[in-house]
């Protein structure tokens, strides 16, 4: 892998060409991309992201990079992994990558998840592509001796992501789907109240669904449980320069303020963002 | 060893490459060495606290992007207390980009912001003028003359004026800036455009229209630099679709003395350094001892190789 600009502690973000190791479909909608990487890319923490220069696919040549949260990283073996849904011009381009191809990636970027030393067991609630963002939390928690219960939500059973990854890091996994109605907010609320009552939700984590964010904000407030949410937003620069990726947040001094998802986030305190 | 130094309206720069306003902030210091830049140009500061426009604020287009960010600004105090001390740690001079809705507003802001640590002012007169039905000052030579005269009276700092490419006669606007005391013109801001999502029938920008930038605009803005260079004697800073050394050379040949790199930095955060390195490489390869001799060195279509050699010798 070539580093376009030499990275060191002064420059914790680098534009790098990473060799593709694998890029395989894991179900009808998602692909799993593994690239060879070196620091600072492998210093990425759960919740952080890379800004990817996606290859051209068909007629579409994406001009801007695409933000992609990290799915897994391994400094020892020099690997960074992504789990992505093939939807637009950018991800269709990513889907064309094959072993020996090189991917231009910028990162690691943004603020990731943090775990407080007083937490013994956390509840992770995610849906769709948000599950890829939450997955590395399992390893982070395992290393910190924090237990995890993961409620993984999807439209159908075959679209639930990251089950094995969560289990491999010792997490309890609860799968909820639209097809059997178990993903209804009322049912997820029942599950979370049960976890809280059994002291298995010292903190709540979520990504990928506004409905789930609203639920967690409500429960967090009522039960006095802290938490964190990873947000997504369209980005141009991903370095806080362009102010493209702003969302509405409760200002500390009252009222509403914009914050940049790329720079102040993408991970925020659970009660900070104004859900939409 | 190539001499990359240039002088823009009395201000000496170590090299002619700097960021375009709004495409640069402290975040880039995590990726590149700021001390290599010719200058800093800040995001536009306004006196008013501005939240900016509705999202989506950016839309990708062929060879470029549209933006309608809307100049979010934290005001003058934040600029003086936070922005200036941060950039003060580095060597390049800082150009403060300012904007206001009225000529009076421009003048008082220029006076207020002319503090130690600000080496020059870039007046972004491409923004809407409340006194002219929201049309940008730089759309007409009359409005440009008025606001530049007020700015000139309000500050002793080198005054750069950023023009809009959306006017019908940019050379005339540049002349008005020069006649009223501008030290340089920055050519140019973004080109007004729009894009529509055919799936949803909705505009792809929250504010419907926005400014086009990136490689797609380069031939248009390059032409405007050429037109301005023939019209004025003050220095020109070229800005439009520059992503590599050859792009910068084109702008210098057309008459620019320095260049700003903007949208390219969004795609490649190292673009500014690439332009500097490739500009130096170009001069080395072609035997130019000073980058400054490239400015306005455009030859007519009938020129032959001897003319290029003569230009090289003159530059050594």
């Amino acid at each position: 892998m070539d580093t376009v600009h030499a990275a060191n502690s002064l420059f914790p973000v680098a534009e790098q060409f990473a060799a593709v190791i694998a890029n395989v479909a894991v179900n009808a909608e998602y692909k799993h991309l593994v690239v060879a990487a070196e620091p600072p890319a492998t210093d990425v923490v759960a919740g952080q992201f890379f800004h990817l220069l996606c290859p051209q696919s068909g007629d579409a040549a994406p001009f801007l990079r695409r933000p992609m949260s990290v799915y897994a990283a391994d400094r020892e073996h020099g690997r960074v992994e992504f789990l992505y849904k093939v939807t637009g011009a950018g991800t269709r381009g990513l889907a064309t990558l094959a072993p020996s191809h090189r991917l231009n990636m910028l990162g690691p970027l943004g603020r990731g998840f943090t775990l407080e030393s007083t937490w013994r067991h956390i509840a992770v609630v995610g849906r769709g592509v948000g599950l890829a963002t939450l997955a590395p939390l399992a390893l982070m928690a395992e290393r910190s001796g924090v237990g995890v219960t993961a409620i993984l939500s999807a439209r159908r059973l075959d679209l639930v992501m990251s089950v094995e990854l969560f289990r491999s890091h010792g997490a309890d996994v609860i799968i909820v789907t639209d097809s059997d109605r178990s993903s209804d907010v009322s049912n997820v609320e029942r599950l979370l109240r049960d976890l809280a009552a059994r002291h298995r939700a010292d903190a709540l984590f979520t990504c990928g669904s506004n409905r789930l964010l609203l639920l967690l904000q409500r429960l967090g407030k009522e039960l006095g449980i802290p938490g964190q949410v990873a947000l997504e937003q369209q980005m141009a620069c991903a370095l806080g320069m362009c102010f493209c990726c702003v969302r509405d947040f409760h200002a500390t001094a009252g009222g509403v303020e914009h914050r940049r998802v790329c720079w102040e986030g993408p991970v925020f305190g659970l009660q900070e963002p104004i859900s939409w | 060893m190539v001499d990359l130094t240039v002088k823009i309206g009395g201000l000496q720069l170590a090299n002619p490459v700097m960021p375009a306003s709004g495409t640069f902030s402290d975040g880039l210091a995590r990726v590149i060495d700021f001390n290599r830049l010719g200058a800093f140009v800040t995001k536009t500061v306004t006196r008013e606290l501005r939240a900016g426009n509705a999202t989506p604020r950016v839309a990708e287009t062929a060879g470029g992007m549209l933006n309608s960010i809307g100049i979010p600004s934290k005001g003058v105090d934040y600029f003086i207390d936070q922005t200036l001390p941060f950039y003060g740690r580095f060597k390049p001079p800082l150009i403060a980009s300012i904007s206001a809705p009225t000529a009076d507003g421009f003048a008082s802001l220029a006076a207020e912001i002319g503090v130690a640590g600000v080496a020059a002012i870039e007046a972004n007169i491409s923004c809407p003028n409340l006194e002219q039905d929201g049309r940008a000052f730089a759309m007409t030579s009359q409005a440009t003359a008025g606001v530049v005269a007020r700015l000139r009276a309000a500050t002793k700092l080198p005054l750069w004026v950023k023009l809009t490419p959306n006017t019908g006669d940019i050379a005339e606007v540049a002349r008005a800036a020069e006649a009223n005391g501008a030290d340089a013109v920055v050519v140019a801001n973004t080109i007004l455009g729009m894009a529509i999502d055919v799936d949803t029938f909705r505009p792809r920008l929250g504010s419907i229209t926005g400014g086009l930038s990136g490689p797609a605009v380069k031939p248009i803005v390059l032409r405007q630099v050429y037109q301005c260079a023939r019209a004025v004697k003050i220095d020109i800073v070229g800005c439009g679709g520059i992503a590599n050394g050859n792009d910068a050379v084109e702008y210098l040949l057309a008459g620019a003395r320095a260049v700003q790199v903007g949208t390219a930095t969004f795609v490649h955060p190292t673009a500014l350094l690439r332009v500097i390195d490739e500009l130096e490489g170009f001069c080395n390869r072609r035997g130019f001892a000073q980058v400054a001799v490239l400015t306005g060195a455009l030859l007519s279509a009938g020129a032959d190789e001897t003319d290029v050699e003569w230009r090289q010798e003159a530059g050594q």
Side-chain angles (χ1 to χ4, degrees):
Chain A
M1 181 178 64
D2 302 330
T3 298
V4 177
H5 181 72
N8 55 43
S9 57
L10 278 178
F11 303 106
V13 178
E15 182 183 353
Q16 305 181 325
F17 283 101
V20 174
I21 295 170
N23 187 25
V24 294
V26 292
N27 61 31
E29 296 181 347
Y30 285 82
K31 290 192 90 167
H32 180 199
L33 172 64
V34 182
V35 300
E38 61 190 35
T42 46
D43 296 332
V44 65
V45 300
Q48 282 192 304
F49 67 99
F50 288 88
H51 215 25
L52 308 181
L53 201 57
C54 300
Q56 178 161 355
S57 69
D59 289 344
F63 178 72
L64 298 169
R65 289 172 184 266
R66 297 294 190 273
M68 183 72 63
S69 59
V70 66
Y71 179 62
D74 184 338
R75 182 164 186 159
E76 197 186 333
H77 297 98
R79 288 183 175 202
V80 169
E81 303 178 28
F82 302 98
L83 185 66
Y84 62 98
K85 186 176 180 177
V86 182
T87 48
T91 45
R92 277 201 301 277
L94 282 185
T96 66
L97 288 171
S100 85
H101 289 174
R102 299 202 307 165
L103 170 67
N104 182 314
M105 49 190 245
L106 172 73
L109 295 161
R111 294 185 186 194
F113 293 109
T114 52
L115 293 173
E116 288 188 14
S117 55
T118 53
W119 296 342
R120 305 312 326 149
H121 200 105
I122 60 172
V124 175
V125 190
R127 180 172 168 91
V129 73
L131 293 173
T133 306
L134 294 166
L137 245 185
L139 173 62
M140 190 186 208
E142 184 184 43
R143 285 184 173 159
S144 310
V146 176
V148 175
T149 299
I151 301 175
L152 310 183
S153 171
R155 294 202 313 278
R156 303 187 309 263
L157 199 57
D158 60 303
L159 295 176
V160 184
M161 309 300 305
S162 313
V163 177
E164 290 316 311
L165 194 140
F166 272 103
R167 285 197 175 128
S168 72
H169 295 303
D172 298 330
V173 173
I174 302 171
I175 294 168
V176 295
T177 64
D178 299 357
S179 47
D180 69 3
R181 304 291 309 269
S182 57
S183 65
D184 284 1
V185 167
S186 58
N187 188 52
V188 177
E189 177 171 354
R190 190 186 58 75
L191 293 168
L192 283 168
R193 283 187 185 278
D194 177 57
L195 288 172
R198 293 189 290 121
H199 305 291
R200 296 177 84 74
D202 296 334
L204 306 171
F205 291 81
T206 190
C207 181
S209 159
N210 187 47
R211 287 195 313 162
L212 290 175
L213 172 59
L214 279 168
L215 168 66
L216 263 61
Q217 286 182 328
R218 182 162 55 78
L219 284 180
K221 236 178 229 164
E222 182 193 320
L223 304 173
I225 301 174
Q228 290 160 30
V229 54
L231 296 183
E232 297 169 78
Q233 178 63 298
Q234 180 206 27
M235 291 180 190
C237 76
L239 283 164
M241 301 186 285
C242 71
F243 288 77
C244 158
C245 65
V246 296
R247 281 193 179 279
D248 288 343
F249 289 81
H250 297 289
T252 347
V256 178
E257 69 181 16
H258 280 143
R259 290 185 204 161
R260 295 161 289 185
V261 171
C262 77
W263 189 248
E264 280 91 17
V267 174
F268 295 91
L270 181 60
Q271 302 295 344
E272 294 174 18
I274 296 172
S275 25
W276 53 99
Chain B
M1 191 67 190
V2 180
D3 177 5
L4 288 176
T5 59
V6 292
K7 261 189 177 171
I8 311 290
L11 183 65
Q12 173 98 14
L13 307 182
N15 69 66
V17 181
M18 67 192 90
S21 177
T23 64
F24 182 75
S25 77
D26 53 331
L28 195 61
R30 291 191 182 184
V31 196
I32 67 166
D33 180 1
F34 277 11
N35 283 327
R36 293 199 54 205
L37 305 179
F40 298 127
V41 184
T42 66
K43 188 162 179 66
T44 298
V45 184
T46 62
R47 182 183 305 287
E48 307 76 28
L49 303 181
R50 295 171 55 97
N53 290 335
T55 57
R57 291 177 165 188
V58 162
E60 220 170 32
T61 60
M65 60 174 250
L66 287 162
N67 87 79
S68 63
I69 305 293
I71 315 183
S73 168
K74 292 182 175 171
V76 178
D77 290 346
Y78 184 90
F79 179 83
I80 289 173
D81 297 342
Q82 305 288 330
T83 309
L84 278 184
F86 174 81
Y87 290 108
R89 311 193 328 240
F90 302 98
K91 284 186 277 187
L94 180 134
I95 321 298
S97 170
I98 63 167
S99 183
T102 64
D104 269 353
F106 260 109
S108 66
L109 182 55
E112 194 177 343
I113 219 144
V115 298
V118 174
I121 285 175
E122 180 181 287
N124 178 9
I125 63 165
S126 321
C127 52
N129 173 4
L130 293 187
E131 293 156 330
Q132 296 273 329
D133 287 336
R135 277 192 302 166
F137 290 91
M139 287 296 286
T140 67
S141 51
Q142 296 97 308
T144 298
V147 71
V148 173
R150 298 296 311 277
L151 278 161
R152 184 69 286 165
T155 181
K156 289 191 165 60
L157 285 174
L159 176 60
W160 303 5
V161 176
K162 188 164 182 178
L163 306 186
T164 175
N166 299 313
T167 178
D169 191 351
I170 197 165
E172 195 55 37
V173 175
R175 267 191 214 104
E178 178 181 49
N180 287 278
D183 297 300
V185 284
V186 181
V187 181
N189 212 310
T190 54
I191 299 174
L192 198 60
M194 73 182 285
I196 299 171
D197 185 329
V198 296
D199 290 327
T200 63
F201 285 28
R202 289 175 191 279
R204 287 175 54 205
L205 289 175
S207 61
I208 304 174
T209 61
L212 182 67
S213 62
V217 309
K218 200 187 77 179
I220 298 173
V221 183
L222 185 68
R223 176 265 298 175
Q224 293 184 319
V225 164
Y226 170 72
Q227 289 175 317
C228 289
R230 294 200 300 179
V232 298
K233 290 191 170 60
I234 55 174
D235 294 326
I236 296 168
V237 180
C239 177
I242 296 169
N244 59 47
N246 281 347
D247 293 338
V249 170
E250 276 192 82
Y251 271 90
L252 300 183
L253 293 176
R257 194 155 290 285
V259 294
Q260 296 184 344
V261 177
T263 304
T265 301
F266 292 168
V267 184
H268 296 284
T270 50
L272 282 152
L273 302 187
R274 176 183 177 183
V275 173
I276 296 168
D277 290 341
E278 291 184 357
L279 197 52
E280 183 170 24
F282 178 91
C283 290
N284 266 323
R285 221 167 38 247
R286 301 293 296 266
F288 293 106
Q290 297 165 311
V291 74
V293 302
L294 292 174
T295 293
L298 178 72
L299 297 172
S300 64
D304 57 21
E305 276 178 32
T306 321
D307 293 327
V308 179
E309 282 169 15
W310 175 84
R311 177 73 65 174
Q312 280 172 216
E313 282 158 18
Q316 281 165 354

